Amino acid sequence: MPIKILLVDDSASDRLIIKNLLSEYEVLTACDGLEAMRILNEHEGINLLILDLNMPNMNGFEVLEAIKKDERFSKLRTIILTVYDELDNEIRGLKLGAVDYIRKPIQMDSLKARIDVHIRLLRAEYALQQQLEEKTFTFDLIFNQAPIGIAIVYGSAHSDKPVVIVNPLFEKIVGMTREELMQVGWDKITHPDDLEEDLKNFKRLQSGEINMYSMDKRYIKPDGSIVWVHMIVAPLNFLDDRHFNHICLVQDITERKVVKEALHESERSKSVFLSHLPGLAYRCNYDREWTMQYVSNGCYNLTGYPPESLLYNRDLSYNDIISPEYRETLWEKWKHILAEKKPFKHEYEIITATGEKKWVLEMGQGVYNEKGEVEALEGIVLDISDRKAFEDALKYSNEHDVSTGLYNREYLVSLLEKDIKLKKNVKKALIGINLSAAQILTTKYGFPYTLNLIKKVAEALNRLCTDNRLLFHVREYRFVFYVVNYKDKNELVDFSNDIIKTLETLFVTDRISGGIGILEIGPDQVDIDLLLRRLLIASERSISLDGKNYVICFYDEVLEALVNRERDIEEALNRIAADEKTDDELFLQFQPILDIKTNKIRGFEALARLRTEKFGLVPPLEFIQIAEKTKLILPIVEKVIIKAFQFLNSMKERGYDEVGVSINISAIQLLNPGFTDRLFEIINDMRINPRNVCIEITESIFTSDFDKVNNIIKKLKNAGLHIAIDDFGTGYSSLSRVNELSVNCIKIDKYFIDSLLHTDLNEAITSDIVSMAHKLGHCTIAEGVECENQLEYLKRHDCDKVQGYFISRPLLEDDAIKFLERHSGGIL
């Protein structure tokens, strides 16, 4: 080690002699105490101080006092040069460390010997220090880098202020520094549930009853989280007089505890799951018998056999329980799944110990060895009998009509979709039976009567079903036969005639007819909705051909053309309703209504007309029927009302403010919830006198909801509008029923007016209708008057008003006003 000496002496010659004497060492010199202190502060590593006590400025005593107070010089060795023997006690009183002294005059040999001794001691101390530092370094290295938490405690571990040494890992585990730990105390960081056991063990350790103890315990970290540790506590014996010392080793086992707890919870959950499993869990061999290695207790509830009876096929194999028709399918299914190493899932039936059949769902997977070979199968078998029963009930409900028990429309659609794809080369046809006329019976006898009749129809028609004929109840009054593998059209006609005979027998007393439509399904026809729509068209066409008898109507090219025409007219009406720019036109014609008694025109009937770009003028009966069917009648009639009111205003401007206009309103329009409010709104906006407006409704409208309709027309009548029943005598009402209606007028249908031309006038009932209407307080208007004889008859029998070609054809607005102007003084 390097030796550095500071020589302090006020004698320059002595300093030189001593320095030369010590030439082998590094020697620094100072002439007084002040210079000595400066050198001591500026130079590090001075090992030996040779100090003369008797010096100017700052004497040796003062230097020694300063050195004593500075911790840096605690290991500095000192040789004092003095001429006084009596100073020994005073020097010792300073209580310095390694101090030696030599009396002056100095004997150089003696000084050299003393210095050599001190230097040998310095070198011995240095060597010892090096050894201690190496040991301390090794201990610190192990202590600080140990993969386990270490705490060394001096004194009682549960005293208020124990002395604690902890390594970094221990601080990390408990989440506290050494200072924080000493301030808080061990008992505060120990979980309350573990504290009692910990204290008990520690007391036994203190008393010498045990040599050490270990336990799993929990520490509570400052953030409130819990850390599990495995703790070992053992005593430490030191050479000092401390009361009790011990070392504590802790290992963080939180993750292990979590895994253990999760495993425990998993085992518990598995136990609970298996005990409540509606079936069984298994492990079995991959063989034809499904030899069971393990079967859960749920086996008994599912199969009626105890689990042990299936283990290793003791009494029977699981294959014996599987219903025979599923055994081969199940084997092939597993074979395929295992080849692809996929999960298994399959439904099949088993036979229980009591002979009962149960539906089960098996879910499982293969267990493979390192070579990829199947070692076993594992899975569960669940009882799904209740679900299957529900599914069957739901399937039946989805596929069958509730009222008749027949297949419904949804099932027909699904069957057609499947057959069109899979049976392309098989002849297929639909026969539609349209019994919409049966609605009349509901009006007469009530819905239960009609429903019972429809059920009888279903039972009777169902008897005509065969393997290639299925019957469907697709709507309230409509049935469909789906026929496959028939020979030709003649077979379809013959079968349809059998249907007609059956229906005629059922309706012999009710005298209800219907339509029979037939649609052959071509190989390229895949639009099911279009097929069913065409079938409906064919059956409705059948009804229109002969309203009294059943007629068979095939859907063909002619009917196709009618359908296309209907579609084109519907599109034209859509454009008009949407106010699109189009060459299609909705306009009105006005037919004059003559007051017979005054011989003056008292009103006009507004008649809607449609002219399309493709068809030109379309007959009203045709386009109105289409409008009603598509609900386009609602916007169309509103446009008719507005045009009719414009005509009223045009007449009013010319002074004809007593002349009214009649507007035909359909049942759909009248029963529309917003109709009356919208009508009143238009009347107010266009400043129309309600008394100049007559609403014409057909008597058939009252079959919808008599009371509701009557309340609506009362509201209209109370607002000042006139109400007329159009086409009276051809519908379903009687004069006695008319008496209950809030109407002003009855329009006698053209049928009764035409009868005046070829019937003995004395036998004609037209006069009776007029007479009875008057007795009920209603005025009468005769429609379709085309000749003078009819007019004269009506005059004689006091009919109030007439309209028809004899008076005038329907006229455009300008022509109607001109007609009114020409005949302002009278028409006849």
Side-chain angles (χ1 to χ4, degrees), residues 168-177 180-181 184-192 194 217-229 250-255:
L169 185 57
F170 193 95
E171 290 181 335
K172 181 180 178 181
I173 290 173
V174 299
M176 291 183 180
T177 64
E180 291 171 337
L181 186 60
V184 173
W186 295 92
D187 55 342
K188 295 297 190 298
I189 69 169
T190 300
H191 194 281
D194 302 326
K217 66 178 284 187
R218 286 160 288 182
Y219 286 130
I220 304 174
K221 299 176 79 170
D223 61 3
S225 60
I226 301 296
V227 57
W228 273 98
V229 298
V250 295
Q251 182 180 10
D252 188 343
I253 60 169
T254 304
E255 186 176 347

Side-chain angles (χ1 to χ4, degrees), residues 786-802:
E786 297 179 350
C787 64
E788 188 173 1
N789 289 343
Q790 294 169 322
L791 180 60
E792 291 301 322
Y793 176 88
L794 294 167
K795 280 183 179 181
R796 287 197 306 271
H797 293 90
D798 296 325
C799 184
D800 300 297
K801 300 172 185 178
V802 295

Side-chain angles (χ1 to χ4, degrees), residues 280 297-307 309-310 316 321 350-356 358:
L280 61 85
N297 291 332
C299 176
Y300 184 78
N301 290 333
L302 178 66
T303 68
Y305 297 101
S309 65
L310 290 176
L316 76 167
I321 296 175
I350 62 171
I351 302 174
T352 68
T354 60
E356 175 191 2
K358 284 185 178 180

Side-chain angles (χ1 to χ4, degrees), residues 45 145 186 251 275 307 388 628 731 759 780:
Q145 296 188 20
W186 295 92
Q251 182 180 10
S275 64
K388 273 292 185 179
E628 288 183 340
T759 303
T780 54

